[in-house]
Amino acid sequence: MIMLIRQFQAQRMHAPRDFQSISPEPICVEIGAGKGKHALLFTRNNPERQLIAIERTREKFLAMQKQHALEGQSNLQTVHADALPWVVHALYPAQVEQFFILYPNPEPHNPAQRWANMPFFEFLISRLQTGGTITLASNIPEYIDEAEQQMKALWKLPYVKEVIPQDSARTHFEIKYLERGELCQQLIITKPEGYSTRFDEFQPLHGQNATAAE
């Protein structure tokens, strides 16, 4: 089933509490970083890349923050916020090299809140560089199948569908699911050259528009 969606109302997003703006340099972003296992691993293995890891749940964020303090990667910034308003207020058009959305809430009772079905997904694409990628991983085959259909029919984005190896250990959820013998899959979605959205000129709300949005 193809879900038809309304346009995302970015200008209505209030800034997260204690929001701090960022510079417009190229970055990677992980949404729903949990306790930070993937974020810490990624920044350790890719010292030349900057990653911002966003987590909404306070307990998980504090666990990530604590581990980051122990490991000390200078190329990792942790953020305690809801991802949608943070992205709208912080990120510049075509700034992001990679988005990671690993094992998001499958929203079994609210399909409209799944990432590929959300109006916000168009805004997310607008923040992605040409050739940049979104990695969307799940242990629920129906979730991946639906997202795959949305890439084809609604967003018209190229992607690669992969089975995640049994020895992968990027997140605590991934380890648990693979140990239980569940099928974990991911879509690597790419923004092709010439791809346009309705938000390509939309600048971060942290500047002159932030006051009006609050």
Side-chain angles (χ1 to χ4, degrees):
M1 179 184 71
I2 301 171
M3 295 196 64
L4 302 176
I5 60 173
R6 66 190 185 282
Q7 183 172 345
F8 177 61
Q9 301 297 312
Q11 70 280 3
R12 295 184 180 179
M13 281 278 162
H14 294 277
R17 182 181 298 176
D18 302 323
F19 174 78
Q20 295 182 339
S21 60
I22 65 170
S23 61
E25 283 83 8
I27 56 167
C28 302
V29 176
E30 181 171 2
I31 294 175
K35 297 180 180 179
K37 187 173 181 62
H38 172 262
L40 292 158
L41 181 66
F42 179 85
T43 49
R44 198 183 310 131
N45 292 338
N46 298 276
E48 76 289 353
R49 292 201 162 171
Q50 300 292 322
L51 175 70
I52 296 180
I54 309 166
E55 175 54 43
R56 179 174 58 184
T57 306
R58 178 173 175 78
E59 182 182 357
K60 291 179 180 178
F61 170 77
L62 291 175
M64 172 168 61
Q65 192 178 49
K66 181 179 180 180
Q67 192 61 35
H68 181 215
L70 291 173
E71 296 192 23
Q73 286 93 319
S74 61
N75 57 332
L76 173 61
Q77 179 181 340
T78 60
V79 173
H80 182 214
D82 185 288
L84 274 66
W86 187 89
V87 165
V88 169
H89 280 263
L91 296 181
Y92 293 81
Q95 180 183 13
V96 177
E97 297 172 317
Q98 291 179 275
F99 279 110
F100 297 98
I101 308 174
L102 307 179
Y103 305 95
N105 185 335
E107 302 287 354
H109 304 298
N110 193 1
Q113 290 298 310
R114 297 171 193 157
W115 284 98
N117 299 340
M118 294 169 65
F120 175 71
F121 198 77
E122 181 181 3
F123 191 90
L124 204 68
I125 299 166
S126 78
R127 305 299 96 173
L128 201 61
Q129 297 178 358
T130 296
T133 60
I134 301 172
T135 299
L136 179 63
S138 179
N139 64 316
I140 300 173
E142 295 79 10
Y143 188 99
I144 292 292
D145 291 345
E146 180 185 71
E148 183 179 14
Q149 177 65 13
Q150 292 292 73
M151 294 310 126
K152 292 178 181 176
L154 178 59
W155 303 115
K156 304 190 186 310
L157 285 167
Y159 64 90
V160 175
K161 183 178 182 179
E162 298 176 342
V163 173
I164 295 166
Q166 286 294 315
D167 61 352
S168 187
R170 295 177 298 182
T171 77
H172 293 94
F173 281 126
E174 186 165 85
I175 293 169
K176 179 175 71 173
Y177 298 147
L178 290 172
E179 284 179 348
R180 294 199 307 218
E182 297 183 19
L183 173 65
C184 292
Q185 301 175 96
Q186 64 186 14
L187 299 182
I188 310 293
I189 303 155
T190 302
K191 182 178 181 178
E193 187 173 357
Y195 190 95
S196 63
T197 78
R198 291 170 287 188
F199 300 102
D200 290 348
E201 305 302 321
F202 190 99
Q203 296 298 312
L205 279 180
H206 73 268
Q208 60 183 21
N209 294 331
T211 302
E214 291 175 357

